[in-house]
Amino acid sequence: MEQSRRTFIRSAGLLSVAGMTGVNTFAAMSKNQSKAIKSGLKLRFKPYDLQLKHTFTLAGSSRTTTAVMLTEIEYDGIVGYGEASMPPYLGESHATATKFLSSLDLSQFNDPFRLDEILEYVDQKAEGNCAAKASVDIALHDLLGKIMGQPWYKIWGFNAEDTPNTSFTIGIDTDEVIRQKVKEAAGFKILKVKLGRDNDKQMIETIRSVTDVPMCVDVNQGWTDKKHALEMTQWLKEKGIEFVEQPMPKTAIDDIAWLTQHSPLPIIADEALQRLPDVKKAHGIYSGINIKLMKCTGMREAHKMITLARALDMKVMIGCMTETSCAVSAAAQLAPKVDWADLDGNLLISNDVFSGVQVVDGKITLIDQPGIGITPIS
């Protein structure tokens, strides 16, 4: 359902979880009424639909909207914001997120700094629901950063100048629309091109007819023959492609390992990688990994995944779904420690409800603002 930018910020009520009483509707509170009870955290959430500027087409699907759940965690009058982005292939929805979030009792925690304990409780509440769990993780990190008065990249000891350029995503489309998308991406230093159908070479040739900017490609498991995949990586190398993301089905482990061994380009795991244990499984099969907060349950686990991948001498990319500036800004806090970033999900939508991380001359530019560095758009 379509929501205006003001709906989330100034709605008549947010779905709220207080104790184990289920889902209730709370009237909007004035500033004088909004001070949280110090005895526990207060979780609120609201469904929202992102409107994409262009139809988003992958190797196996197309869509014009993405369902998200916007969350808040309040403590002592301070509010942290979070988000769950739920594209259909993840298997989550407004209904599943509502069910999971309404089952949580965060009011039992009277100290938000018990981060590990709180997030372990959330993770163990039910299997799956990774995006919904990420929405709590992000909101809690935002809250803690605001309490400490520091952005998370500083809390982690990262240098904001170390952020990479972010790619701008070009979905599968007609030649005319592709040229239009490339024009919209003016100023970006790298493009990410979706492949995996029968027009892969045409897509690349069309883009190369209007720009010589470096590119990476995401095949979304679209190639099924390892020899064809190798031929494509060799051809893509000649076209200035930097790496190939998930070229074959994640179950084709032996074929992917063979491709990685022979490919002139790095092969990066995406669909094959979700959470921390998957990093070690990807070692020796892929050249590197693409971490997404919506798949790994949020910032806490993403940080651990980067640490492990570096210990295994693997390349690291931080990515996103179509998201508001909330989740994108949360992921951007980790950007100084990765090789590549694909954090353009907020730029692909027309109804963002936050302002946050910026792209300046193609580079992820972190904001020196407490928490994850976002401001609600009122």
Side-chain angles (χ1 to χ4, degrees), residues 39-41 75 105-112 114 117-118 121:
S39 60
L41 303 176
Y75 179 79
D105 177 17
L106 297 191
S107 66
Q108 66 182 291
F109 298 103
N110 57 16
D111 182 357
R114 290 159 60 185
E117 183 179 347
I118 296 169
Y121 158 76

Side-chain angles (χ1 to χ4, degrees), residues 146-167:
K146 288 173 177 175
I147 292 173
M148 290 184 280
Q150 295 293 333
W152 268 94
Y153 71 88
K154 285 189 176 181
I155 294 171
W156 278 324
F158 300 162
N159 184 349
E161 296 180 2
D162 291 339
T163 58
N165 293 324
T166 183
S167 54

